[in-house]
Amino acid sequence: MIRAVESAPHVSAPVLAAYSYCEAVTGQQARNFAYGIRLLPAAKRRAMSALYAFSRRVDDIGDGGLADEVKLSRLEDTRALLARIRAEEVEEDDTDPVAVALSHAARAFPIPLGGLDELIDGVQMDVRGETYETWDDLKVYCRCVAGAIGRLSLGVFGTEPGARGAERAAEYADTLGLALQLTNILRDVREDALGGRTYLPADDLAKFGCSAGFSAPTPPEGADFAGLVHFEVRRARALFAEGYRLLPMLDRRSGACVAAMAGIYRRLLDRIEREPEAVLRGRVSLPGHEKAYVAVRGLSGLDTRHVARGSVRRRA
């Protein structure tokens, strides 16, 4: 069982200011994520914002316009900062609000900070321009940049006492992260191509005649682009189904948060499946009212009960 340790009621003014900065970054840069964590109690919401703000910093280094050697150097600087956080060497009056907030969160909750080292590893793979021949190759990258985030989040959420199968909670959190990342890859296939990146496995691209890439707003001539997208959607759905086993292991509000975030991405997947070529014309997104519906559904526990009933049927 992974049990979250709630933070003390009193939080100092410098730490609250640091958390406020992280929450502002989260609200501005990650609307889907912010939509989910608003369902959490304050201490957990703040901790998740700190995790996001640090992760955003790592991603921004990888996505920025600096020379690759400068990016790699800055990523190592960020890894050194993480080591300081892990060693509890960051003071409340430090000038870096993200470091202050994450240091406090890591003392309040059993967050496996090694997951952020994995994130840095994944962004280094991006900077080096790595490509992926097979799904097994791509999974290594996805586990670094998304599966690790699932495991880090679980450190904040914790699992309920006596939750059945809780020993596999980290595995399910990791798998849910893979599902979200594969959805991201499908949504951003054109944007990534314009940036010189290809994430989908070369084996899959070849199978559907898409090896020429996606630099145009239409599929490559003679390609079965819809077939490729539907193939990857089925893979993502299988990952969601496995990862959703985490939900009954969480308390109501943590489960609602996960269900809301995952639900938004599942609906994005539905849209991509219905109109595959839309991802070549621009970013597919959900309107606000649809996100609100997903949040209400998560808070109501509908997804959690559905997964729990499925588990009972499998055991019967």
Side-chain angles (χ1 to χ4, degrees), residues 61-75 127 197:
I61 293 171
D63 292 337
L66 298 171
D68 288 351
E69 60 270 21
V70 178
K71 290 182 179 181
L72 292 172
S73 175
R74 291 199 177 182
L75 287 169
V127 174
R197 293 176 180 170

Side-chain angles (χ1 to χ4, degrees), residues 36 76 188 229 242 291 313:
E76 287 305 323
D188 297 340
V229 169
E242 181 74 6
K291 291 180 182 180
R313 285 196 296 271

Side-chain angles (χ1 to χ4, degrees), residues 210-233:
C210 293
S211 297
F214 310 107
S215 57
T218 55
E221 187 174 352
D224 181 10
F225 181 71
L228 171 67
V229 169
H230 291 153
F231 178 80
E232 303 297 349
V233 165

Side-chain angles (χ1 to χ4, degrees), residues 228-303:
L228 171 67
V229 169
H230 291 153
F231 178 80
E232 303 297 349
V233 165
R234 288 193 295 273
R235 176 175 276 156
R237 288 196 192 287
L239 292 168
F240 273 116
E242 181 74 6
Y244 260 51
R245 293 185 178 188
L246 175 66
L247 292 181
M249 302 175 188
L250 305 177
D251 67 73
R252 179 173 176 266
R253 291 177 72 176
S254 296
C257 171
V258 173
M261 287 189 286
I264 288 169
Y265 278 86
R266 284 180 67 188
R267 283 177 169 259
L268 282 174
L269 204 61
D270 291 342
R271 290 195 164 204
I272 292 168
E273 183 179 38
R274 287 196 300 268
E275 192 179 357
E277 292 188 19
V279 299
L280 297 178
R281 298 192 294 269
R283 173 169 285 205
V284 177
S285 62
L286 296 184
H289 73 270
E290 205 165 334
K291 291 180 182 180
Y293 168 78
V294 173
V296 170
R297 181 182 173 90
L299 196 57
S300 72
L302 284 172
D303 292 315

Side-chain angles (χ1 to χ4, degrees), residues 2 5 15 60 95 97 101 128 153 190 213 230 262 270 304-305:
I2 301 169
V5 179
V15 172
D60 284 348
T95 56
R128 294 181 180 124
S153 302
R190 174 96 194 284
H230 291 153
D270 291 342
T304 301
R305 291 196 295 273

Side-chain angles (χ1 to χ4, degrees), residues 43-117:
K44 290 184 178 183
R45 186 182 66 249
R46 291 194 295 253
M48 291 294 289
S49 293
L51 279 173
Y52 176 81
F54 189 94
S55 301
R56 182 80 234 180
R57 178 178 295 179
V58 174
D59 284 341
D60 284 348
I61 293 171
D63 292 337
L66 298 171
D68 288 351
E69 60 270 21
V70 178
K71 290 182 179 181
L72 292 172
S73 175
R74 291 199 177 182
L75 287 169
E76 287 305 323
D77 290 343
T78 308
R79 198 188 297 275
L81 173 61
L82 181 60
R84 287 183 56 222
I85 292 169
R86 187 182 287 111
E88 300 187 8
E89 295 175 354
V90 176
E91 301 295 333
E92 288 189 359
D93 60 354
D94 193 282
T95 56
D96 186 338
V98 176
V100 171
L102 184 57
S103 294
H104 185 273
R107 288 192 294 270
F109 298 95
I111 299 171
L113 291 175
L116 290 170
D117 278 304

Side-chain angles (χ1 to χ4, degrees), residues 147-226:
I149 301 301
R151 286 177 266 120
L152 287 158
S153 302
L154 184 62
V156 176
F157 297 145
T159 55
E160 283 286 82
R164 186 186 294 271
E167 68 280 357
R168 298 188 65 185
E171 174 190 336
Y172 295 142
D174 183 278
T175 300
L176 200 53
L178 263 65
L180 269 60
Q181 185 62 25
L182 183 52
T183 304
N184 267 335
I185 287 171
L186 288 172
R187 182 193 63 184
D188 297 340
V189 67
R190 174 96 194 284
E191 182 179 326
D192 290 333
L194 294 175
R197 293 176 180 170
T198 300
Y199 291 102
L200 291 175
D203 282 358
D204 296 351
L205 296 176
K207 182 189 300 183
F208 293 96
C210 293
S211 297
F214 310 107
S215 57
T218 55
E221 187 174 352
D224 181 10
F225 181 71

